Amino acid sequence: MQDYHYEWPVGLVLEATLDVRLNAIIPNLDRRTERWEPCYKKLTSEAQFPASQIERFSAFDYKDYPTLESARDHAALYFEGLPPLLTQEIDISSFCWLFTWYAMMTQISREASDEYYMMLLDDCLVTMTYNELRHSIDVLNANGPAPTVIQLSRNPRNMQCRRMIPELDIWQYGLCGRSDAGFIVNSIGAAKLAANANEKPYPHVPATVLERLSSEVNQEGYYSLSARYERFDGGGAGVAKIFIDALELQDRLGSTGY
């Protein structure tokens, strides 16, 4: 797969404030340590994330349930009621991914609004460092509505060009479409994603949720990588870059490994 990512502007001084906190939350199956270990290593070394701000979220594994109904029963207990997203008649593997993703969004939605979480699939990495992402959040805060959802990857099938951020034009206002390899949300954004998933349940989450939100007229609080610096050559996913060779870019990267 071709390399495809954004490069941080040369010479730009990083002056991140202490007003917000950026964490990483990574879904990972307990039996897939071969994914977690390189993911964690790359986050702490190449991306320079503080280890204390990286959370491994234990993904719900379809192999732990004898039937779809038993997995659904567990979800109903976990959420104290079954959300509409999890009432679909789908295969158990897809169900467990939806269960995992929805649990993550629910957890984040309970945090303070100045706590941001980068959701990254365990077979991807970010090509921006922690300080660059933190600085970006500050710039977005200073040049528009407070960020609630920030897409870290772009949709190779649908390049949506929007107005760029004045002070840091690798970012643009609004979401870019069906792309879910990595994104950053705060409690407001996580609640919005979860609500949209429940309003129109569909197996391919979060890709379809982000695509639906990108078509809304009101893009307040939504941001994504700017199309200005695209070097699209048929592969890759923006600042979230693939490092496991066997992974192919699909509509829903979250299905990989299940």
Side-chain angles (χ1 to χ4, degrees):
M1 181 167 289
Q2 298 293 318
D3 187 8
Y4 170 68
H5 64 276
Y6 286 70
E7 295 180 359
W8 190 254
V10 176
L12 183 64
V13 178
L14 299 177
E15 296 179 349
T17 71
L18 299 176
D19 295 338
V20 301
R21 176 183 171 95
L22 175 62
N23 310 281
I25 183 167
I26 316 295
N28 175 250
L29 293 165
D30 293 345
R31 59 183 168 85
R32 299 304 299 268
T33 56
E34 84 283 1
R35 286 190 174 200
W36 170 247
E37 290 166 0
C39 180
Y40 179 81
K41 182 177 180 180
K42 288 176 181 292
L43 276 175
T44 53
S45 58
E46 295 182 21
Q48 301 170 27
F49 261 78
S52 62
Q53 289 166 227
I54 301 173
E55 176 183 349
R56 175 191 171 275
F57 190 95
S58 182
F60 297 103
D61 192 343
Y62 77 93
K63 292 191 174 184
D64 291 339
Y65 304 99
T67 64
L68 174 60
E69 286 310 310
S70 63
R72 207 187 303 275
D73 289 343
H74 182 203
L77 287 173
Y78 186 94
F79 295 114
E80 299 181 348
L82 202 61
L85 175 66
L86 300 181
T87 61
Q88 305 173 77
E89 290 303 321
I90 54 179
D91 64 88
I92 190 171
S93 174
S94 297
F95 178 88
C96 286
W97 166 242
L98 297 188
F99 186 179
T100 298
W101 177 83
Y102 192 81
M104 294 169 68
M105 294 304 104
T106 301
Q107 175 180 309
I108 296 169
S109 70
R110 299 190 183 111
E111 302 293 338
S113 62
D114 60 355
E115 289 272 345
Y116 285 83
Y117 287 81
M118 179 183 72
M119 200 294 293
L120 189 70
L121 300 177
D122 63 4
D123 40 22
C124 295
L125 63 90
V126 284
T127 59
M128 286 187 192
T129 67
Y130 171 82
N131 283 337
E132 289 167 350
L133 290 169
R134 273 288 294 105
H135 179 79
S136 294
I137 293 173
D138 288 338
V139 171
L140 298 181
N141 263 307
N143 286 274
T148 57
V149 181
I150 306 170
Q151 275 184 308
L152 298 179
S153 51
R154 289 191 58 81
N155 183 1
R157 299 182 305 166
N158 182 24
M159 298 300 180
Q160 275 191 303
C161 301
R162 300 184 186 272
R163 187 164 61 93
M164 292 175 295
I165 306 300
E167 299 299 320
L168 188 54
D169 62 6
I170 63 171
W171 299 101
Q172 67 181 21
Y173 295 100
L175 301 178
C176 69
R178 187 186 185 90
S179 185
D180 67 348
F183 56 87
I184 294 173
V185 291
N186 65 356
S187 59
I188 299 169
K192 179 70 173 181
L193 296 184
N196 188 278
N198 279 324
E199 181 182 349
K200 300 175 181 178
Y202 191 69
H204 294 171
V205 170
T208 51
V209 173
L210 290 165
E211 183 176 40
R212 288 194 297 251
L213 293 180
S214 73
S215 66
E216 289 186 351
V217 174
N218 183 8
Q219 293 291 301
E220 184 171 304
Y222 301 156
Y223 300 90
S224 59
L225 291 166
S226 169
R228 177 176 182 177
Y229 293 102
E230 294 288 353
R231 291 205 306 269
F232 180 59
D233 51 19
V239 72
K241 188 176 69 172
I242 292 157
F243 69 80
I244 287 184
D245 294 337
L247 178 67
E248 295 181 357
L249 182 66
Q250 301 293 344
D251 283 347
R252 183 168 69 89
L253 295 173
S255 64
T256 306
Y258 280 81

